[in-house]
């Protein structure tokens, strides 16, 4: 049986020290402490990360994360194994021949400072974030906890399943940056089944959304222009204007022809350029994202972005580079798993309703799910309902901790059904 008090204790411990994507060194170290006690086989670093596919990882953030983690008591032996890359995979092997289930829980926080409001429960009970400017405002502290609760059950109930279970504790979900590197490492390529979920989102306590629909494929791209500074009065002709290249690119980006086969999105969210009023601007940076109803339509948007980035550089005779900062794909849940999760959910005393929902957003677990599907396996991403006090990514966010138990019960029942004798 799952012990709700244990789950709450874990969740509050992780809530207190949130870490942003690719800096989850203390978080990974603490998860590893618990998993080691449970007797899991553990994989870290390059064993689970293909560094070619790492997206949006900032070295300064990484260095600061390692420093913070050490100050907060992370074990050096785990940091050594991580080798600069956060996250870990736990393997529970039943010792019996059978299939493999992969479960994925994301572990990063959001770059938002936690509210100081007195009625906010983490403030009342003393487990609010002590890492200034960072907060588990998306509920990934809950995801870590459900992963650990499931791990504990797997360690104590090896007679109840065959084959093995791989639990992925994934870094950097925010900005959809972490999953591609884990998928490309091949660590879950032997999985016959894949399951992942989000807590709360659009579903309240007592409900589960087993078949989340309309995942959007997305790519996050940075474009950087490098020109040449010059005196704006005396010698503008000697400068190369990066700001103008970027400005032209932005208006063209928003003018990309829509795709006839399905929905697309584009948003240029950031444009930084220039050094001073009387200097020809030599630097500019654009941060943008595109989305599409499916992988192909999204790729069309990416291709158009790359053309425009290059064209503007040529027009203004500046150098440029592009970098993919994050990505996710669309995914359709496999019917058999949807039926199974629905059935299991309705057997939980805390769950009284199954809900249907179109997501119209992106989540990088889809990259892992699709990878398993492409190898002939089955995948599901579902929503575990939980009342919340504010929207995700808001400073006042908190969720109904009792649903942690529902989460563990759903995952353990799922493993029992998929891998049971
Ligand atoms: Zn989030
Ligand atoms: Zn989230």
């Amino acid at each position: 049986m799952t012990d709700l008090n244990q789950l709450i204790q874990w969740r509050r411990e992780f809530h207190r020290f949130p870490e942003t994507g690719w800096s989850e060194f203390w978080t990974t170290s603490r998860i590893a402490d618990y998993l080691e006690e449970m007797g899991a086989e553990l994989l870290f670093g390059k064993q689970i990360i293909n560094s070619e596919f790492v997206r949006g990882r900032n070295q300064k953030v990484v260095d600061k994360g390692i420093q913070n983690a050490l100050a907060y008591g992370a074990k050096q032996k785990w940091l050594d194994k991580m080798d600069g890359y956060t996250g870990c995979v736990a393997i529970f092997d039943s010792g019996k021949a059978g299939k493999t289930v992969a479960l994925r829980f994301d572990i990063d926080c959001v770059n938002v400072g936690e509210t100081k409001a007195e009625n906010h429960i983490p403030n009342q009970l003393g487990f609010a974030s002590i890492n200034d400017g960072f907060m588990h405002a998306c509920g990934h502290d809950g995801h870590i906890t459900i992963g650990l609760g499931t791990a504990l059950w797997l360690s104590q109930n090896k007679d109840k399943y065959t084959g093995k279970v791989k639990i992925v504790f994934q870094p950097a979900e925010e900005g959809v940056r972490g999953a591609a590197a884990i998928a490309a490492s091949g660590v879950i390529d032997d999985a016959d089944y894949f399951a992942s979920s989000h807590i709360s989102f659009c579903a309240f306590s007592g409900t589960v959304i087993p078949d989340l629909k309309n995942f959007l494929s997305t790519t996050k791209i940075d474009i950087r222009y490098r020109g040449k500074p010059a005196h704006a009065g005396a010698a503008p002709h000697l400068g190369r204007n990066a700001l103008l290249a970027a400005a032209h690119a932005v208006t063209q980006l928003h003018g990309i022809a829509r795709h006839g086969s399905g929905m697309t999105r584009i948003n240029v969210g950031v444009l930084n350029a220039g050094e001073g009023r009387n200097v020809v601007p030599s630097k500019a940076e654009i941060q943008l994202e595109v989305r599409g109803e499916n992988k192909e339509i999204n790729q069309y948007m990416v291709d158009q972005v790359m053309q425009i980035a290059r064209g503007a550089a040529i027009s203004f005779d500046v150098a440029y580079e592009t970098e993919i900062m994050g990505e996710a794909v669309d995914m359709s849940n496999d019917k058999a798993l949807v039926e199974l999760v629905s059935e299991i959910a309705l057997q939980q005393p805390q769950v009284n309703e199954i809900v249907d929902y179109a997501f119209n957003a992106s989540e990088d677990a889809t990259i892992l799910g699709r990878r398993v599907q492409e190898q002939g396996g089955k995948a599901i991403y579902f929503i575990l309902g939980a009342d919340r006090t504010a929207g995700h990514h808001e400073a006042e966010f908190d969720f109904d901790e009792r649903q942690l138990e529902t989460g563990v019960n759903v995952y353990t029942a799922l493993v029992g059904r998929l891998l049971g004798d």
Side-chain angles (χ1 to χ4, degrees):
M1 271 310 282
T2 309
D3 176 3
L4 179 59
N5 288 327
Q6 171 67 81
L7 298 177
I8 289 175
Q9 196 187 317
W10 277 332
R11 184 259 164 161
R12 293 181 183 178
E13 183 185 14
F14 286 103
H15 188 85
R16 258 188 113 225
F17 199 71
E19 295 171 297
T20 191
W22 296 118
S23 80
E24 310 93 327
F25 291 97
W26 176 82
T27 305
T28 303
S29 160
R30 200 75 190 112
I31 290 169
D33 287 342
Y34 290 123
L35 292 169
E36 185 183 42
E37 267 172 48
M38 297 174 199
E41 180 192 344
L42 292 172
L43 305 177
F44 299 90
K46 297 278 172 63
Q47 293 174 304
I48 62 163
I49 299 275
N50 180 335
S51 55
E52 253 180 73
F53 291 82
V54 165
R55 306 303 189 204
R57 176 174 172 275
N58 177 306
Q59 193 60 44
K60 271 188 204 145
V61 171
V62 170
D63 294 342
K64 181 99 193 309
I66 293 174
Q67 234 176 49
N68 284 352
L70 281 169
Y72 201 58
K75 290 203 180 102
Q76 187 65 49
K77 72 166 179 178
W78 298 134
L79 293 175
D80 290 344
K81 284 180 193 282
M82 281 183 247
D83 194 20
Y85 293 96
T86 48
C88 64
V89 172
I91 303 174
F92 290 93
D93 194 332
S94 68
K96 288 164 278 182
K99 296 192 166 174
T100 297
V101 170
L103 307 176
R104 174 276 208 175
F105 301 93
D106 44 4
I107 67 172
D108 57 328
C109 78
V110 182
N111 294 30
V112 57
E114 190 153 12
T115 179
K116 302 280 182 238
E118 274 174 35
N119 64 353
H120 185 60
I121 289 171
N123 290 332
Q124 279 177 9
L125 301 182
F127 67 92
S129 169
I130 59 166
N131 194 5
D132 234 18
F134 299 93
M135 177 189 174
H136 269 297
C138 200
H140 300 182
D141 48 349
H143 297 171
I144 296 167
T145 302
I146 294 170
L148 287 176
T150 304
L152 184 61
W153 183 91
L154 290 168
S155 72
Q156 294 172 340
N157 293 278
K158 291 208 170 174
D159 56 320
K160 295 203 175 71
Y161 62 99
T162 62
K164 58 186 166 187
V165 180
K166 291 182 164 180
I167 307 185
V168 178
F169 290 91
Q170 184 206 301
E173 190 284 327
E174 298 294 346
V176 288
R177 295 173 290 155
I182 289 182
S185 78
V187 69
I188 62 163
D189 281 0
D190 59 344
D192 301 283
Y193 301 102
F194 173 86
S196 188
S197 57
H198 209 295
I199 198 161
S200 194
F201 197 72
C202 46
F204 299 102
S205 295
T207 64
V208 167
I209 304 172
D211 191 11
L212 196 60
K213 297 184 179 81
N214 292 24
F215 286 97
L216 302 183
S217 285
T218 183
T219 307
K220 321 295 184 192
I221 303 167
D222 281 2
I223 305 172
R224 298 176 201 111
Y225 290 106
R226 289 285 174 276
K228 196 167 164 293
H231 195 288
H237 60 289
L238 297 180
R240 292 291 175 269
N241 197 321
L243 181 151
L244 273 181
H248 277 257
V250 169
T251 54
Q252 289 176 36
L253 286 165
H254 275 265
I256 293 173
R258 300 299 92 163
H259 199 290
S261 308
M263 189 267 286
T264 57
R265 299 264 192 280
I266 181 159
N267 188 56
V268 175
V270 175
L271 167 57
N272 289 318
E275 294 83 48
R277 188 186 307 279
N278 56 359
V279 181
V280 173
S282 72
K283 285 183 203 148
E285 185 190 53
I286 293 169
Q287 296 176 16
L288 71 99
E289 61 162 42
V290 293
R291 302 188 196 229
E293 201 169 311
N294 59 41
K295 220 170 154 180
E296 292 69 35
I297 292 173
N298 184 64
Q299 189 56 46
Y300 159 78
M301 294 298 286
V302 173
D303 294 343
Q304 297 301 303
V305 168
M306 295 307 181
Q307 288 292 341
I308 289 168
R310 188 162 67 99
I314 293 168
S315 294
F316 291 90
D317 193 18
V318 295
Y320 85 107
E321 60 177 17
T322 57
E323 188 179 352
I324 307 271
M325 304 302 286
E327 59 193 322
V329 294
D330 61 305
M331 181 182 112
S332 295
N333 288 328
D334 284 288
K335 274 246 151 20
L337 289 181
V338 169
E339 280 164 19
L340 195 51
V341 167
S342 305
E343 188 191 322
I344 289 167
L346 285 172
Q347 285 163 358
Q348 307 305 315
Q350 307 95 313
V351 177
N352 46 46
E353 204 187 346
I354 292 298
V355 183
D356 211 25
Y357 193 79
F359 193 43
N360 284 325
S362 306
E363 156 65 65
D364 70 3
T366 53
I367 293 179
L368 294 161
R370 288 263 303 233
R371 178 100 176 183
V372 170
Q373 288 174 331
E374 279 157 15
Q375 319 267 345
K378 290 185 163 51
I380 185 168
Y381 188 90
F382 61 98
I383 300 278
L384 178 71
D387 291 341
R388 51 181 164 75
T389 51
H392 290 262
H393 297 197
E394 289 179 22
E396 294 79 22
F397 179 83
D398 191 21
F399 65 86
D400 175 9
E401 290 175 324
R402 289 172 307 167
Q403 303 314 319
L404 296 170
E405 188 177 7
T406 315
V408 174
N409 289 344
V410 168
Y411 276 104
T412 54
L414 185 63
V415 169
R417 290 289 294 273
L418 293 173
L419 299 182
D421 286 319

